Amino acid sequence: MTESKNSGPDDDKGPASSARGRSRRPVTLREVASAAGVSVSTVSLVINEKKNARIGAETRQRVQAAIRELGYRPNAMAKNLVEGNSRFIGLVADAIATTPFAGQIIHGAQDEAWKHGYVLLVANTEADDDAEAESISMMLEHKVRGILYSTWYHRLVEVPAALTETDFVLVNCFAAEPGPRAVVPDEVAGGRAAAELLLRQGHRRIAFVNTTTPSPAREGRLRGYQDALTAAGIAFDPALVLDAQPDQGGGYEITDAVLAQQVTGVCCHNDRVAMGLYDGLRDRGQRVPEDLAVVGFDNQEVIAAHLRPALSTVALPHYELGVVGMRVLLGLDQVGDLGRIALDCPPVERDSIATPPAATPIKR
């Protein structure tokens, strides 16, 4: 629609145009009905595609033409409340929207939702119980198709009672009681992959720096490390498992204990611990990987890819967690008898590992 050169000040008041600098008001059903020369109820029947309604083809076309000409948009929220369903899916998270690498969960869920004609409504609660309850309540009021409930790190959660009022899936977390479906990272496979990065290079004496915080990651990654040693015919030595705070300071402080074990390689609980270990080794005149090969966990790009040398690590499948969580919610993937899907944590090999002196790489 073009603007006439002779338009006056009163010409901007119609539903299909607006005054400069101001948003156009919504077009109403009554205006569509007036333009098409029919009743409001007829317009409603056409918009809602009531096939059994006795409306002639010419009348239906006239209403549709008026809708296009005026730019009418149906009130989706009102339609949702009437029909009891919507094209919205909720995602309630404790902090992942403000955590750079974990924010990929939102990205994955959003991409998958779009593929199937849904829009994602995201609430970031910052672990505030009141904010969480309000977010879930508002999503239920909006008749969302279902809710993904996610945490920024893999852990056990208590499922909010309000979630049971709709279809829901836990993402990057799980419940103690059987029933709630969950999509989580395979921590055991991740720990095994980390150790195998070093074993394939011929390392036989490998330390494992674990966290002091109880979690599925602490237990699972250690078990995976043990499984990898067993598969390689290496006896597990508890003295090579060292606990540290799961941050850069913890990695720095554990340096002397690692070196005292005379290992050639080390698996760290996460990339931040590995970064601190890098600092500790440098201060002691040790080189990575010539003197000690180092593997991290998480694949935080801001750390792993920018350390010198670049850090070999294991990636947490955050994007895939969002994708698969959405697919489970939509009934496209099944969780099986265990009620849980565990996703692979792929290894990312960079420059922080090397063949130790007098060792031959293991071929697999």
Side-chain angles (χ1 to χ4, degrees):
M1 182 180 292
T2 58
E3 181 180 349
S4 168
K5 293 181 180 179
N6 297 321
S7 324
D10 293 333
D11 292 331
D12 284 335
K13 296 180 180 179
S17 61
S18 63
R20 292 187 181 183
R22 279 184 269 173
S23 298
R24 185 175 76 179
R25 66 177 178 80
V27 177
T28 66
L29 277 179
R30 188 175 300 281
E31 288 166 338
V32 174
S34 176
V38 298
S39 67
V40 171
S41 61
T42 297
V43 174
S44 179
L45 290 171
V46 172
I47 289 172
N48 291 298
E49 300 179 351
K50 300 294 184 180
K51 296 181 180 179
N52 296 328
R54 295 181 178 179
I55 301 174
E58 188 274 334
T59 300
R60 193 179 295 273
Q61 290 172 3
R62 197 163 68 247
V63 171
Q64 291 169 342
I67 289 172
R68 289 192 299 271
E69 176 68 19
L70 297 178
Y72 173 78
R73 294 181 183 276
N75 186 330
M77 195 59 62
K79 185 176 180 181
N80 293 343
L81 294 173
V82 171
E83 298 181 356
N85 58 55
S86 77
R87 307 306 291 178
F88 295 121
I89 291 176
L91 188 150
V92 177
D94 60 357
I96 64 175
T98 54
T99 307
F101 67 98
Q104 286 295 309
I105 291 176
I106 295 176
H107 191 187
Q110 183 172 267
D111 284 353
E112 191 65 21
W114 273 112
K115 287 182 183 178
H116 303 286
Y118 290 91
V119 174
L120 196 64
L121 303 179
V122 179
N124 187 52
T125 67
E126 294 297 337
D128 181 280
D129 291 342
D130 291 338
E132 177 180 279
E134 183 67 18
S135 298
I136 294 174
S137 176
M138 291 182 67
M139 289 179 180
L140 293 175
E141 289 174 8
H142 285 68
K143 302 292 183 182
V144 292
R145 165 65 178 75
I147 295 175
L148 297 182
Y149 182 86
S150 186
T151 54
W152 78 268
Y153 73 92
H154 182 196
R155 63 184 175 91
L156 173 71
V157 296
E158 184 174 339
V159 177
L163 277 183
T164 61
E165 296 181 35
T166 187
D167 197 14
F168 72 93
V169 175
L170 305 178
V171 177
N172 207 35
C173 55
F174 60 96
E177 68 275 10
R181 296 168 298 170
V183 181
V184 297
D186 191 335
E187 303 285 6
V188 176
R192 186 166 55 245
E196 287 174 345
L197 282 171
L198 294 168
L199 289 168
R200 281 195 292 269
Q201 290 293 328
H203 294 272
R204 308 290 288 177
R205 189 167 175 79
I206 302 169
F208 186 89
V209 177
N210 211 350
T211 180
T212 55
T213 307
S215 67
R218 171 183 165 82
E219 299 164 6
R221 295 172 193 178
L222 175 59
R223 197 166 91 223
Y225 158 83
Q226 292 174 292
D227 290 349
L229 294 180
T230 299
I234 301 172
F236 171 64
D237 183 355
L240 300 186
V241 178
L242 309 167
D243 286 348
Q245 291 295 323
D247 53 28
Q248 187 174 2
Y252 187 88
E253 291 172 2
I254 204 68
T255 304
D256 287 333
V258 171
L259 291 175
Q261 294 300 325
Q262 297 183 325
V263 295
T264 62
V266 57
C267 296
C268 295
H269 176 74
N270 62 30
D271 294 344
R272 289 175 295 157
V273 170
M275 179 167 59
L277 183 59
Y278 266 50
D279 294 339
L281 292 170
R282 187 178 302 110
D283 286 354
R284 291 158 179 79
Q286 300 292 302
R287 299 166 300 165
V288 177
E290 292 84 357
D291 297 310
L292 184 67
V294 180
V295 174
F297 208 107
D298 289 349
N299 194 34
Q300 286 188 256
E301 285 287 330
V302 70
I303 297 174
H306 295 92
L307 285 175
R308 291 294 178 267
L311 178 66
S312 296
T313 186
V314 175
L316 281 168
H318 288 108
Y319 181 87
E320 291 76 13
L321 286 168
V323 170
V324 177
M326 182 61 67
R327 291 183 61 82
V328 170
L329 186 68
L330 295 176
L332 301 173
D333 288 347
Q334 302 301 317
V335 296
D337 294 339
L338 297 178
R340 196 180 299 181
I341 295 178
L343 301 184
D344 285 341
C345 299
V348 181
E349 187 169 344
R350 297 192 178 96
D351 300 327
S352 65
I353 58 176
T355 305
T360 302
I362 297 173
K363 294 183 179 180
R364 298 204 174 173

